[in-house]
Amino acid sequence: MSGTTLSPERERIDLPVTGMTCAACAARIERSLSAADGVEEASVNLATERATVRFDPAVTGVDRIVEAIRRAGYDAIIPPPGGATVSGDDPATRARQEEYVRLRRKFQIAVLLAFPVLASAMSHGSIPVLNFRGVGWLEFALTTPVVFYCGAQFYRGAWAALRHRAADMNTLIALGTGAAYVYSVAALVVPSFFASSPMMVMSGGGPMGPTLYFEAAAVIIALILAGRMLEARAKGRTSEAIRRLIGLQAKTATIVRDGSEAEVAIDAVVPGDVLVVRPGALIPVDGTVLDGDSTIDESMLTGESLPVEKQPGDAVFGGTLNRTGSFRFEAKRVGRDTVLARIVEMVERAQGSKAPIARLADVVSGIFTPIVLCIAITTFAIWFVAAPPETRLSLALVNFVSVLIIACPCALGLATPTAIMVGTGVGAENGILVRNGESLETAHKLNTMVLDKTGTITRGQPAVTEIVALRGSENEIIAVAAAAEAGSEHPIATAIARAAKDRGLVVARPTGFEALPGQGVNATVQGMRVVIGNEAVMREAGIPLDSVESQMARISERGGTAIAVAIDGVLAGVIGVADEPRPESKAAIAAMHRMGLDVVMLTGDNQRTAEAIAKDVGVSRVIAGVLPADKAAEVKRLQDGGALVGMVGDGINDAPALAQADVGIALGSGTDVAIESSDITLLKGDLRRVVTTLLLSRATIGTVKQNLFWAFVYNVIGIPIAAGALYPVTGWLLSPVIASAAMSLSSVSVLANSLRLRNFRAPQVLT
């Protein structure tokens, strides 16, 4: 991913890192980066194989950051000039695919060579074709390529770690397989040294030689390669959400230049270009419709399956699908500035971040390998001293190797990032953009949800809710009012005009217009003198409202505004205008209550209007009359009272409160401001998505905890068994081959458990 400007003085860059195998690797790179001059913050994610670095460009640059990674014994892929593009053919993806192919090839060779070695070792002379005096040399010949070709990466990694006075998973594998191999070679070359051992392979009338462990070295490497190969494939699947988003980007665009149409590559489009989109085509970039109309599938942005109607002046977004009509639009944002590119960047950033729950795993993983080495050495020493002299070397070696192999910190290192990756990916596919792992983790602990009223609980725009006709029909009242208000830009005038349009009414042009600020309008419509306004306007005009007092009071009690309409000095009717609750708000708030959340409405409206809306949607706690600048203080007051607060707003006016909240959730519409102003952005302005977000957070963190539990339990149980703790009671010893299979299975099981999150679905009641 690209470098991202944070401020005039600070930048952030995401670098793909190659060569990591376990959490200890990630920790070592983090330490190397953090110690580099100019680096203020560094985070390395094992699952995404990515380093995120915040640095001072005046002190350091990308080359020096890459050099710090290489000093730690690893490598990094430098992003192309110009930074990120919405393309699936990036160097990191190619490197990951090449690594998978390389692992698969080595695994296949290792299996092919290790199988006859295993068969020979397990047959104990019962298979005639493998029962001959030189069978040990055959095992040596087959095992050597497995160790020095298929397993070379483990020995190189162990040597790199040793040069940096560190140890990691490669160290454990190299020591374990290397010890088994070297012991077997020594026993094969100098069998007389082991002649006193009863651990001799018998053949016919006498011993053939000491027990060899070539099969342990060969099969362990094959099994570990299998685990690494499955990990590589599973890691790719965790990033599938990003690849699907990237795949939505159009490759070409039809552009209008010099009066004719031409198809050009997407990279050739610049802001200001006029583009043509036909039915069934992907919209190439972000822009504004100039002419024509259509319905567009925006589910990739919002998760909403219903198509959205677009007309001149409406915004369209790159990657969305044009369903029906043709239209022309002007390009506004292209390349990495499009909403789709920003979404991909945000998802990658979230997947590469660390949740606080990962810190425990980081601490443990950082000291895990040295502890395992100490346990393995202690195991060898105890068995060498306690076992009978004739078997002590073999038993000590077997248990030493078993401890090294089974003690895999990979599962521990993968437990958190894989779940966060899948969780944020699933969220992105459903129009839920999570800024970082910390936000996703904190969301599941929230106990108070503060909701802005206008645009969050309500639609954010006034609408005509009631018409009381005293003179003529409802349509006549609306038509006259819309004509009189035609010269006004007030939201109430807009609501009346929209109501007339929805009813298909013909609206006349006023011949005279006078605005009465804060009260209403005077206008002449088709020769009629029309007065529209509140009670004060009517009183000044000498028009009594006695006959509609009860209706006007009812409208006010419901949180609306009552507008009287008089024609030629006679009261003609009353229009009720209100910012209605979104149809889904009541169900969403009820779901929040069921989840144990204290739901609070925070609004600048007056208390009566706020309480009317709150009663309608089921909010029992209202904080009204709060200016936008004071909303953050109200959130802090709740926090000071012990609440863990989530704030839901529109991402613009509520920015201070969103920043103050423990988790800020913006109901956006895919705009830059909405994406950048919160911890979590919901591209569909639907409160039910807030509930879905909380449920996704709970599911993700539940998966993390399951992963960590099994990773810890696996090592707590596995290491003592490998060390031979059960031998005095049961006589059981753990074969290094079984230990390697269990080690690989542990990492794959963690990945598989994380991938279950891909099946997450919001409850039907919320859809």
Side-chain angles (χ1 to χ4, degrees), residues 445-468:
K445 298 184 288 187
L446 297 176
N447 54 33
T448 301
M449 189 62 69
V450 176
L451 308 177
D452 176 51
K453 181 182 77 69
T454 305
T456 301
I457 293 177
T458 66
R459 295 180 184 273
Q461 56 184 17
V464 173
T465 58
E466 185 174 351
I467 303 171
V468 179

Side-chain angles (χ1 to χ4, degrees), residues 509-513 522-530:
R509 286 182 174 274
T511 56
F513 176 83
N522 282 328
T524 301
V525 178
Q526 295 179 329
M528 298 180 290
R529 187 173 63 87
V530 180

